[in-house]
Amino acid sequence: NEAVEIIGRLQLSSEHIEKTNEMIEVYAHLLAKRNALARFLQPVSKRKLAAKVHSEAESRVASAESPFRDRDHAFEMIRTFMNQTSDVAFILSGMKGIGKSSVVDAAFRQVIPPMRRVWVQITEGMPYPRLLSDLAYKFDLRIPDETHDPSQEKLEGLEKRLLVHLSQTQATVIVFDDFQFLLNNAREIEDKSVRKLIAALLSTASNTKTKCFIISNMAPQLGPELESRCSVYSLQGLEPRYTTGLLQYWFQYGREDLAGQVPQPSDHLVKIL
């Protein structure tokens, strides 16, 4: 139980997005082992009944598709974006917690062709040197020794190396998650150096097979020139029937005893969700 709770907290924290698939597998494995132990501790008569119910429920879970509902249009937009050459960036906006990062992560499994994936997690107040160093590290470039306070000359040199490497590298998808942390109240990139770097990355990507995803709570204002090369999509809430289906799926998957009737959530709860 303690291990299940730890993995559950890690999944909800969004701190290790690149390990999402592994954590889902571990979570499912732990649930199976916990339920097996619970059956073992039951009386023989109940154990046989529980084994039958669990086997049926487990087969339903194993055969179920990824629990994404009402997102077909988002996946179709991403597929269209990946299949054309005019746009280099896909801006995905929507309220916090609505599932933007999860949709892009699922798109890598469902609609995005096999390509190198570079996921950059933006944090609040992230400065230009940190963002540049993070990108350089993800592309296996050597970072200046004085990482805490590099000179402007070395930062400019690292940026040039990154852009040259990007222009020569294999097809790559770069994801900027939580991009809103780089924006001011006018939805413009606050830091001039960061603004220049993003513009240079998108310009370089337009001449290569590189594609960028910008995930943000609010759509950024990048200027007419860059925005003309971007596909924009706003992720909305689920329809009530899909919200109910997802809630029931999670409820049943997380129960120790998978038997019995799954409760019908109230209309008020569905509306809030």
Side-chain angles (χ1 to χ4, degrees), residues 3 67 100 110 143 166 197 202 216 227-228 239 255 259 266:
K100 302 181 296 295
Q110 298 189 28
I143 302 172
L166 186 61
L197 173 61
L202 295 182
S216 178
E227 289 175 6
S228 66
E239 292 181 14
R255 291 175 64 183
S266 67

Side-chain angles (χ1 to χ4, degrees), residues 78-260:
I78 293 174
R79 182 184 288 109
T80 301
F81 164 70
M82 294 300 301
N83 289 337
Q84 50 78 49
T85 57
S86 57
D87 291 348
V88 296
F90 189 95
I91 298 175
L92 181 64
S93 63
M95 66 179 289
K96 181 179 179 182
I98 205 166
K100 302 181 296 295
S101 301
S102 297
V103 165
V104 174
D105 182 63
F108 277 97
R109 302 190 300 272
Q110 298 189 28
V111 298
I112 298 177
M115 299 172 68
R116 182 179 183 182
R117 170 179 170 179
V118 173
W119 195 292
V120 180
Q121 184 65 49
I122 308 296
T123 55
E124 191 168 2
M126 192 175 202
Y128 165 71
R130 167 79 184 281
L131 176 60
L132 178 60
S133 298
D134 196 7
L135 276 165
Y137 175 78
K138 296 287 176 61
F139 280 99
D140 301 319
L141 297 178
R142 196 174 74 82
I143 302 172
D145 295 334
E146 60 272 26
T147 52
H148 295 294
D149 189 22
S151 65
Q152 186 62 31
E153 182 181 357
K154 291 206 171 187
L155 287 174
E156 291 176 358
L158 181 59
E159 181 175 326
K160 288 179 181 178
R161 286 170 51 213
L162 174 63
L163 295 175
V164 170
H165 179 78
L166 186 61
S167 67
Q168 299 173 348
T169 193
Q170 59 183 339
T172 304
V173 175
I174 305 175
V175 180
F176 295 99
D177 200 359
D178 282 332
F179 198 83
Q180 71 274 359
F181 288 135
L182 299 177
L183 307 178
N184 56 24
N185 292 334
R187 294 187 291 152
E188 298 173 339
I189 299 176
E190 182 75 28
D191 190 309
K192 292 181 179 179
S193 296
V194 172
R195 187 160 61 242
K196 174 175 168 289
L197 173 61
I198 297 298
L201 283 170
L202 295 182
S203 298
T204 301
S206 65
N207 299 319
T208 66
K209 294 181 179 180
T210 297
K211 294 283 190 176
C212 297
F213 281 83
I214 294 175
I215 304 173
S216 178
N217 292 353
M218 49 187 175
Q221 298 287 343
L222 301 175
E225 184 178 348
L226 291 179
E227 289 175 6
S228 66
R229 307 296 306 278
C230 296
S231 298
V232 182
Y233 186 79
S234 177
L235 200 63
Q236 304 299 318
L238 298 176
E239 292 181 14
R241 62 193 179 102
Y242 290 119
T243 301
T244 301
L246 261 180
L247 185 62
Q248 291 177 332
Y249 177 92
W250 290 334
F251 181 85
Q252 189 166 18
Y253 189 73
R255 291 175 64 183
E256 292 186 14
D257 179 11
L258 298 182

